[in-house]
Amino acid sequence: MEWCVSMPKIELHAHLNGSIRDSTLLELTKALIGKGAINFSEVEHIILKYNRSVEEVFKLFDLIHILTTDHNTVARITREVIEDFASENVVYLELRTTPKRNDSVGMSKRSYVEAVLKGLRSITSVDVDFIPHCEDSKTLFTPAPAIDGHARKRIFVRLLLSIDRRETTEAAMDTVKLALEMRPYGVVGIDLSGNPSIGDWTTYLPALKFAREQGLYVTLHCGELPNSKEIKNMLDFRPQRIGHACFFEDEHWRQLKSSNIPVEICLTSNVRTMTVPSIDVHHFAHLYNAKHPLVLCTDDSGVFSTCLSKEYKIAADSFGLGRREMFELSRNAVEYIFADSKIKEDLRRNFNSVAKKYG
Ligand code: 5GP
């Protein structure tokens, strides 16, 4: 596990509210129980269950969202999630979250994203680069100052705004417009997520097309359930990346490979939600052997009790890959990030500078 932790890594599929620390979730739950806002016996079975179906995972998200409704909590979880990724040497993080409106606490989609940015800016324990690279922005991979004998961790963070499949076309368009407004602060793209058994993804096509026309990157949750037509249509749309790809049929694999769309692979998440029966039959092996662009990701490190180092270790052990191969897998992910070429250059330099260790 040691080398999986120390190796530089890129995280491209992490949902903010799915990545909350257990200790924070517990603290927030206790506070609400104390106020009589929730009854623990009613939620206990969802919180404590290990393998949850996709439907149960979404019930858990509804519960988590009750716990994280105010601006301060959103800022806090953002800070903690970034600190946690940085602590295991994630050097570039694309964090995604669904902007939420909550009139009871005066929260608009915009103020939600501002709270996320406040959380980002409040981090002092690691160096965070979160604005698009420009002449006077911090350059990440200059030699890090030593603090107490340890180099300070440094991480690039970019944001993706998610559209939830429960939303309307108009609400999705609002999210895209917000992403455009927030581009100067590091929002680089749009994600379509939420319960895959709900709604029709074409509801969001106008917003997704608009996002793409305006130069935002798009990634789609695709193939989390068997829905051949949706998978085909999503691939026809040619998003810049897709997540999961669990229920692909032969024609989808052919289409995916000919389009070369990178796949965000979430091993633990897929096995825990039973969208893949077991790790040994995971499509990672199929795509890896075909040299298809892919990136290992956590999805929801809090909900699935994982971290990116663990995902690398699981892939190495399950598919018989050595350090060299895992390092190359990590390094290749630089090419699939949604940030600009200057940042890619910085990241390539960083990976090259440590490549010998993994050779
Ligand atoms: P948030 O966007 O609130 O920060 O993160 C939690 C949300 O991300 C969930 O409510 C859900 O919409 C989305 N999400 C998290 N994990 C998954 C997943 O595995 N599949 C899908 N389709 N959506 C997810």
Side-chain angles (χ1 to χ4, degrees):
M1 183 76 175
E2 184 65 22
W3 61 270
C4 294
V5 177
S6 61
M7 189 171 81
K9 291 172 291 296
I10 306 260
E11 171 62 83
L12 300 184
H13 188 135
H15 298 269
L16 174 62
N17 277 278
S19 309
I20 303 172
R21 287 178 191 163
D22 284 350
S23 55
T24 301
L25 211 49
L26 199 64
E27 191 188 314
L28 296 171
T29 309
K30 278 185 185 157
L32 275 200
I33 292 170
K35 286 184 199 157
I38 50 171
N39 181 342
F40 190 68
S41 64
E42 283 170 16
V43 295
E44 187 184 9
H45 66 288
I46 312 177
I47 294 178
L48 300 179
K49 205 169 171 197
Y50 185 74
N51 278 335
R52 299 180 191 94
S53 66
V54 174
E55 289 304 324
E56 286 169 329
V57 163
F58 284 98
K59 274 197 192 128
L60 181 57
F61 281 125
D62 285 342
L63 175 65
I64 291 173
H65 288 146
I66 295 173
L67 306 174
T68 60
T69 39
D70 64 280
H71 293 108
N72 284 342
T73 306
V74 171
R76 172 188 174 174
I77 60 172
T78 304
R79 172 171 54 74
E80 292 180 350
V81 166
I82 293 168
E83 284 173 349
D84 290 349
F85 277 114
S87 73
E88 55 158 341
N89 293 300
V90 170
V91 291
Y92 177 95
L93 164 67
E94 259 166 39
L95 187 61
R96 57 186 75 188
T97 193
T98 321
K100 295 163 192 78
R101 196 179 138 185
N102 183 352
D103 294 338
S104 68
V105 292
M107 182 184 277
S108 62
K109 282 191 171 187
R110 192 191 166 95
S111 72
Y112 177 93
V113 177
E114 281 167 352
V116 169
L117 292 170
K118 190 173 165 208
L120 264 159
R121 293 196 187 101
S122 71
I123 297 172
T124 52
S125 58
V126 296
D127 288 343
V128 183
D129 177 305
F130 60 92
I131 53 165
H133 198 98
C134 61
E135 285 304 306
D136 57 355
S137 75
K138 281 181 279 180
T139 307
L140 187 59
F141 298 113
T142 48
I147 290 187
D148 294 328
H150 300 289
R152 260 171 82 77
K153 305 283 187 197
R154 295 178 166 207
I155 184 168
F156 279 112
V157 180
R158 294 294 178 269
L159 299 174
L160 305 180
L161 301 191
S162 301
I163 296 169
D164 187 316
R165 291 180 67 125
R166 288 177 292 197
E167 290 183 294
T168 60
T169 306
E170 293 70 33
M173 195 58 101
D174 287 345
T175 297
V176 172
K177 287 181 187 155
L178 180 60
L180 290 168
E181 274 176 52
M182 292 296 189
R183 233 180 343 194
Y185 307 102
V187 174
V188 289
I190 292 290
D191 156 56
L192 176 64
S193 53
N195 191 336
S197 65
I198 291 180
D200 184 334
W201 86 287
T202 53
T203 308
Y204 312 108
L205 254 183
L208 295 169
K209 281 185 178 158
F210 178 63
R212 195 163 57 186
E213 279 160 21
Q214 296 298 313
L216 287 167
Y217 291 89
V218 175
T219 177
L220 303 176
H221 280 61
C222 178
E224 287 177 285
L225 290 177
N227 185 342
S228 188
K229 188 168 161 236
E230 180 177 282
I231 296 170
K232 182 183 177 312
N233 291 342
M234 281 185 167
L235 292 173
D236 283 344
F237 176 73
R238 295 217 169 213
Q240 276 94 359
R241 291 197 311 255
I242 58 163
H244 297 296
C246 300
F247 286 93
F248 274 35
E249 296 161 20
D250 288 348
E251 60 161 320
H252 305 132
W253 290 128
R254 273 195 294 277
Q255 199 181 348
L256 177 77
K257 284 178 193 163
S258 68
S259 62
N260 230 29
I261 298 169
V263 182
E264 302 151 1
I265 294 278
C266 308
L267 297 172
T268 299
S269 161
N270 295 158
V271 173
R272 293 277 297 275
T273 56
M274 298 167 280
T275 51
V276 169
S278 62
I279 192 77
D280 48 306
V281 294
H282 196 284
H283 46 286
F284 169 91
H286 169 80
L287 291 175
Y288 182 83
N289 291 332
K291 297 193 171 19
H292 188 83
L294 57 89
V295 49
L296 286 179
C297 304
T298 53
D299 201 7
D300 298 293
S301 55
V303 169
F304 300 121
S305 306
T306 190
C307 63
L308 196 53
S309 310
K310 218 165 157 179
E311 296 301 301
Y312 273 78
K313 177 83 172 102
I314 292 170
D317 291 350
S318 308
F319 306 107
L321 301 173
R323 279 185 200 203
R324 179 83 226 161
E325 284 104 342
M326 296 316 291
F327 178 79
E328 291 305 337
L329 194 65
S330 186
R331 170 151 71 179
N332 288 345
V334 174
E335 308 312 319
Y336 320 135
I337 69 172
F338 289 168
D340 61 40
S341 55
K342 179 75 191 71
I343 291 172
K344 281 190 182 169
E345 263 312 304
D346 274 347
L347 290 169
R348 286 189 198 112
R349 261 202 306 279
N350 178 42
F351 275 91
N352 290 344
S353 72
V354 295
K356 270 199 191 127
K357 276 202 220 168
Y358 302 91

